[in-house]
Structure formats: C-alpha cells, structure tokens
Amino acid sequence: GTFDALLGRGGPVARAHSIRELGEHCGLPTGIPPNATATSLRNGMTLRGNFLLDTIAPGDILANMANQPAAVRGRPNLLPDGRMGKFGWKADVPTIVEFMGDAFRNEMGLTNPVQPRDEISGCGANQHGPELDALPLQASAMFLHTLNPPAPPPACLASPGAAFFQSTRCATCHTPALPGPGARVPVNLYSDLLLHEMGAGLADQVQQGSALGSEWRTMPLWGASQRGKFLHDGRALTLPSAIAAHGGQAQSARDAFL
C-alpha cells in the first residue's frame, strides 16, 4: 500500500550499463532490480524550451490553474520544501539546474553539488565527493538557453487546427502560453505545468514528490513535429494514438477529439 523507491537497493533508476564496459569488474548490477514489483519506462523528452520553463513564475501557474474548470483542474507537485516542481514527467524537479544535476547523476553516474551521492556503492563510488562542481551544471543550463523552440506564426494560430484544438478543450490543460520573463513575453509551451489524473490506462504506480501513480505533468507540445514517440513510455507512435490513450481528467477532451 505504500511506494518504495528502492533507494540504495537498485532504485529508483535502473541503469542498462555500468563501468564494466570500460574494463572494470566490480560486480555492479544493471537493469531492473529483482525486488522491484513496479517499473515505468520513460521516453526521452525534448530539451528545447526547458530554459524558458525556469522563467515562469509559480504565481502565474496557480493563476492559470484557478481559471480551469473544477472537473479538469490540475494541481502543482509541491515538494517537501514547499517549492513547486516544473520539470520531468511528473513535475518533481523545481529548477533547470536541479534537472541537469539529476540527469548527470541518474543517466551518467556523475555526482555533483545537486546530487552529491551516487545511487550505487561499488567501484569506489561516493569516496571522493562530487565528481563535478557547479560549473558544468550552470554551463549546461546556459546551453539549453540557446535551444528555445520557435514561436508559432500567426498563420498557425489562425489555422483550422488551432480552432479545433480549442473546441475540443485540449487547450484547457495544454495551455497555449504562460507569462514569461522580462516584459512578460509569453512562453508558448502548450502546458499548464500541473499534474492531472490521467486514468488507469496511463498509470504506472510510481510516485514522485506528491505525484501519484496515475498523475502526470501536462506535456509541453512545442517541438511535437520533431518527435517519433509519444507519452511517458513512448508507447504511442502518432499523436492521434497518444490522444486516444488519455483518460481520467482528459477523457472528455479525448472523446471530443475522437
């Protein structure tokens, strides 16, 4: 009845490789640990626009949430320290630098000031403190600043597809724009950055922060034309099939689309 991330026992991230490919043999396990009873594949998401998400104020996210109908209103993933998560499939990371710190540790095994402890203990891990200092995290975040997606041109926003997107109420959760930095330049993310209950069909039983197994952050839709797989586990190869898998609070919009 409770979620155990198997911290220190092979979880929560299962690595397909270890440093044995480099000639070391430390007996590090790879793959899903045998004591796991729930697993969730994660589709890599685009990095374009992530820096812009860091500029959206929590107050603007909450103001947009208040305007959503009660039946489909999302909720923020509030972390134990009170901050609001914005990044990741379940919005469990609050800032771009922390997002990069998680990625360095989880995906490459490189400890850093954000994540100073590795998730494994073999091969001398955690003996020499963080393997990176703050500079690579800050430099990576600034690099992402150069990968902003293009804003939709007026012809796109005036197209029949845009009108259909509104009439099916997809735009209720995939909010076309939220206020951004500086002179309140809009960020055209097509997301409310909130958690929504998406039904049993998309539930993965994995909890992250306050997000439950059936709750997911509304995926930003910028750059959708550059993707070949959709949904958190990549099960959908087309946008219509991804929409058809929506349930829970998105059921009415899904039905209207079909």
Side-chain angles (χ1 to χ4, degrees), residues 115-174:
Q115 293 291 357
R117 301 287 297 177
D118 206 336
E119 294 178 324
I120 55 94
S121 57
C123 287
N126 300 317
Q127 288 187 4
H128 303 291
E131 296 160 309
L132 300 178
D133 59 23
L135 182 58
L137 300 186
Q138 296 169 333
S140 298
M142 291 308 298
F143 169 68
L144 292 183
H145 188 42
T146 70
L147 300 179
N148 293 337
C156 173
L157 297 176
S159 69
F164 184 67
F165 190 78
Q166 293 283 346
S167 67
T168 54
R169 298 181 299 280
C170 295
T172 302
C173 303
H174 288 282

Side-chain angles (χ1 to χ4, degrees), residues 152-222:
C156 173
L157 297 176
S159 69
F164 184 67
F165 190 78
Q166 293 283 346
S167 67
T168 54
R169 298 181 299 280
C170 295
T172 302
C173 303
H174 288 282
T175 306
L178 289 174
R184 313 298 286 171
V185 177
V187 177
N188 303 108
L189 72 170
Y190 287 88
S191 171
D192 57 8
L193 299 179
L194 298 171
L195 296 173
H196 290 270
E197 199 284 316
M198 296 298 291
L202 291 179
D204 69 347
Q205 304 183 62
V206 173
Q207 299 179 22
Q208 292 178 244
S210 68
L212 302 178
S214 61
E215 291 182 308
W216 299 94
R217 182 194 70 160
T218 304
M219 183 67 176
L221 296 182
W222 49 23

